[in-house]
Amino acid sequence: PRADEVDRKKAALRRSLLAWFRRHARELPWRRTKDPYRVWLSEIMLQQTRVETVIPYYERFTAAFPTVQDLAAATDDQVLKLWEGLGYYSRARNLRATAKIVVEEYGGRFPEDAETLQQLPGLGRYSAGAVASIAFGQPVPVLDGNVRRVLTRVFAIGRQADDPELAKELWSLAERLVAPRAPGDFNQALMELGACLCTPATPGCVHCPLRRYCDARKQGIETELPLRREKKGIPHYEVVAAALERDGRYLFGKRPTTAMLGGLWELPGGKVKPGEPHPQALRRELVEKLGVEIDVGDLAATVVHRYTHFYITLYVYRGSLQSGTPEAREHDELKWVSPEEIGQYAFPTSTRKALARIVGAC
């Protein structure tokens, strides 16, 4: 959209959106405070995750770590255990890293400007803008999926959603629109509108406070925007793992910090090659990853789990060591854990579901 068109609309957009938000905003636990620690925590948790999912995690997390100092003093395992099941685990590791920096380098006070906030682990332009505007009243924009959708429709921007030029255009637009006197409320209002009314498939235009100003609605193309390319099929992988038992304890490996699901504990195993029988795949994986030969027993659990870009079927077989001593060749460490102790460790969701069937834990 042309700059003069944006300037012509922006006062009315701000006024209508803020009035709607103050009447209809959802009562969410992180909206009861301007504490930068809690605003930051909620924004990191809400990345790629629905509000309803985040609420209980946020409440447990703030009960366990009420201040940034408490979080900085925690261990990775404590943080990951509380994060267990929320996904995108690098967020949890970055939380603790950021908390330590804030305590050690900033005296326990978060920086107030978005540019400095972006230097902290796990804070990109969006998260830094959210914290700076909501906690500190800085007039900086935000641009998440909800805001992108709202702006694309209000100004009828017909670019493909993955077009890099669209991102630049929308950031510039959000910057022009952000309300200087109530930037935190304005940014939250844009996000709230996208989450509650301006939804992807069935936008609630009848109740939308911006319906008079929405170019997509005037043109009858609100459900067509943002433009998206046709999705390809999601890959599926078969994964095998071993429930190796010794003296009533099970062997677990801690995934490397740099790997997907880094820092979580898992039953040892790996992907099945095309056409490879499961017992053969499991024996191969354990030779490679642990340096041991095993006897493969009965199938103990089968779990189907979907990640963002692929899904797996996990097959867990009971097994016993035949020769060799387990070595952490691809894990950060190995541990033999009793069923009573299993609840102390953080696992990927698929592993946790399998363990519930095998040992009744988790």
Side-chain angles (χ1 to χ4, degrees):
R2 297 193 317 272
D4 61 337
E5 181 192 351
V6 176
D7 290 340
R8 192 170 61 249
K9 279 186 177 183
K10 70 182 179 185
L13 288 173
R14 288 170 179 167
R15 187 171 56 249
S16 301
L17 193 57
L18 285 168
W20 171 83
F21 181 69
R22 286 162 185 163
R23 284 196 306 271
H24 299 289
R26 289 171 291 179
E27 176 63 28
L28 301 173
W30 46 86
R31 287 185 177 159
R32 301 173 196 147
T33 177
K34 297 291 184 187
D35 177 1
Y37 168 66
R38 296 187 178 224
V39 172
W40 161 71
L41 180 61
S42 69
E43 288 300 329
I44 300 302
M45 287 186 164
L46 287 164
Q47 291 171 3
Q48 307 287 327
T49 311
R50 295 175 63 84
V51 164
E52 312 84 72
T53 304
V54 165
I55 290 172
Y57 281 92
Y58 172 86
E59 292 179 333
R60 286 195 295 269
F61 215 92
T62 51
F65 309 121
T67 68
V68 70
Q69 288 84 357
D70 295 317
L71 178 54
T75 66
D76 274 342
D77 280 338
Q78 287 172 324
V79 174
L80 285 167
K81 182 60 184 173
L82 278 172
W83 197 273
E84 186 181 43
L86 199 54
Y88 298 95
Y89 289 90
S90 61
R91 294 181 297 171
R93 294 191 300 277
N94 284 333
L95 275 180
R96 182 168 169 265
T98 289
K100 291 184 76 173
I101 292 170
V102 168
V103 169
E104 293 169 7
E105 299 182 20
Y106 294 95
R109 296 174 63 87
F110 277 80
E112 296 188 11
D113 65 285
E115 283 189 14
T116 307
L117 284 166
Q118 276 190 76
Q119 308 307 310
L120 297 172
L123 277 100
R125 187 176 178 185
Y126 159 73
S127 301
V131 175
S133 62
I134 297 168
F136 299 114
Q138 299 289 326
V140 289
V142 298
L143 189 68
D144 69 348
N146 287 320
V147 176
R148 289 171 70 102
R149 189 165 57 253
V150 170
L151 296 183
T152 300
R153 286 171 173 169
V154 168
F155 292 94
I157 301 171
R159 291 181 183 272
Q160 288 287 345
D162 58 357
D163 182 343
E165 290 303 313
L166 175 62
K168 289 181 191 174
E169 186 173 356
L170 292 178
W171 271 114
S172 174
L173 186 53
E175 199 159 20
R176 294 183 76 87
L177 290 174
V178 67
R181 292 184 184 173
D185 283 354
F186 180 79
N187 285 338
Q188 288 183 88
L190 274 176
M191 293 186 276
E192 189 87 339
L193 187 68
C196 299
L197 287 181
C198 196
T199 53
T202 53
C205 298
V206 174
H207 304 290
C208 179
L210 305 185
R211 61 188 177 277
R212 290 172 53 198
Y213 317 105
C214 181
D215 292 339
R217 183 170 186 262
K218 289 174 187 172
Q219 297 172 34
I221 57 172
E222 64 271 18
T223 57
E224 296 169 30
L225 297 178
L227 297 178
R228 296 197 176 276
R229 302 187 197 282
E230 208 173 307
K231 286 187 178 179
K232 298 176 182 177
I234 296 178
H236 170 254
Y237 304 106
E238 289 191 347
V239 177
V240 288
L244 294 175
E245 189 178 357
R246 185 184 73 183
D247 300 328
R249 294 173 176 267
Y250 291 88
L251 183 65
F252 294 96
K254 189 174 191 179
R255 292 181 61 82
T257 303
T258 53
M260 180 181 172
L261 306 173
L264 300 188
W265 294 82
E266 65 181 0
L267 294 165
K271 285 182 188 175
V272 179
K273 294 179 179 178
E276 188 178 27
H278 287 185
Q280 180 181 323
L282 190 52
R283 285 192 290 267
R284 172 182 55 75
E285 285 288 339
L286 266 62
V287 167
E288 293 172 5
K289 292 183 176 170
L290 302 181
V292 297
E293 297 276 355
I294 69 162
D295 285 323
V296 179
D298 296 335
L299 180 65
T302 304
V303 174
V304 177
H305 184 69
R306 178 163 176 167
Y307 295 93
T308 307
H309 302 299
F310 65 93
Y311 72 102
I312 67 166
T313 303
L314 171 66
Y315 300 91
V316 180
Y317 290 85
R318 296 192 185 276
S320 57
L321 287 172
Q322 188 179 35
S323 66
T325 301
E327 302 170 10
R329 294 182 175 180
E330 295 188 21
H331 292 96
D332 280 354
E333 60 178 298
L334 301 175
K335 269 188 186 175
W336 291 94
V337 180
S338 70
E340 295 75 26
E341 297 168 328
I342 282 175
Q344 301 170 22
Y345 295 86
F347 302 103
T349 299
S350 55
T351 302
R352 194 172 71 251
K353 288 178 180 176
L355 288 171
R357 295 170 195 177
I358 295 167
V359 296
C362 309

